[in-house]
Amino acid sequence: MNFTATIHVRPKDEVRDPQGEAVAGALRSLGLDIADVRTGKEIVVRFSAVDRASAAREAERMGDQLLANPVIEDFSVELG
Amino acid sequence: MRVAILRYPGTWSERDFAHAFSVLGVEHEIVWHEDADLRRFDAAVVPGGFTYGDYLRAGAIAKLSPATAELRRAADEGMPILASCNGFQIVCEAGLLPGALVRNTGLEFRCDWVTMRVESDATPFTAGALGELLRMPIAHGEGCWVADPRTLARVEDEGLVALRYVDARGSATPEGNPNGSLGNIAGVRNPQGNVVGLMPHPERCVEPLLGGSDGIRMLGWLAASARPALSTIS
């Protein structure tokens, strides 16, 4: 079966995100009342797996072993 | 003593290391990451660069290379391994050293000289240099060393900080910190002491012509410790 996993990767809350801070400053320059910005990335993977449960496990493994670094990042998976 | 200099796609400092080892009289070989067999060597270096274009995260894709698996095996067996700049990022990604390297807090790519204080001499690369100040060049955009509070505490408590950025007076101040690294940490070691990673470039300062020669302090011992001669084995 074919699946599409959308993996969202974000810096952990306790890890400083200088990119987010720069973006926050830029958004404030638009006159907006910005409290905080966190940046991350979205990775979309199309793949095959025997069933939905295996697909979910494999997508977790992608996040765990490569797409996110558990030292600094959290990730979440949407399976479609 | 024969040193392997690993080259991944996008490594760019391997020839600087080769030149440094030529200057120091250390036998060396640049080894392509897919052919890495470190059993022929006594030590290894993981040079700087932009492996795999820094895609995903610096060092993230290189950690899945056959060379990194071989590095892990050699590290477990106690081989001295020095990882600089992108090499440091790779071995952190691979879990050989604690922490991770993220975007410099100032968001700038820093190309400059820094001063570091040797905080641990329990590694071959810093033996006998405890407390010494070393001046070396840096060239990185993602050199801010971070770790979760528990890991940071462990690194500090167990003496795994190998090198710390300091200012001109030798103090670990924000002024001396080029990238925002936690605790001004410039380099760390593993608990065994055989693996050391740092953001600065020891290979780019081994002769006065290059603006400094403190790299000899880190690499020079390789020239002194020759492989035991066969004639000594009875």
Side-chain angles (χ1 to χ4, degrees), chain A residues 9 12 14-16 18-19 21-23 41 43 64-73, chain B residues 56-57 60-61 63-64 92-93 98-107 146-149:
Chain A
V9 181
K12 286 186 174 185
E14 65 269 28
V15 174
R16 194 170 160 190
Q19 230 174 171
E21 289 168 22
V23 172
K41 49 176 98 85
I43 298 149
D64 206 41
Q65 297 191 357
L66 178 65
L67 301 179
N69 178 345
V71 176
I72 46 172
E73 294 168 326
Chain B
L56 199 58
R57 291 178 310 278
I61 295 180
K63 82 168 168 182
L64 298 180
C92 284
E93 279 283 340
L101 285 313
V102 299
R103 185 72 62 94
N104 297 347
T105 48
L107 292 174
V146 296
D148 61 75

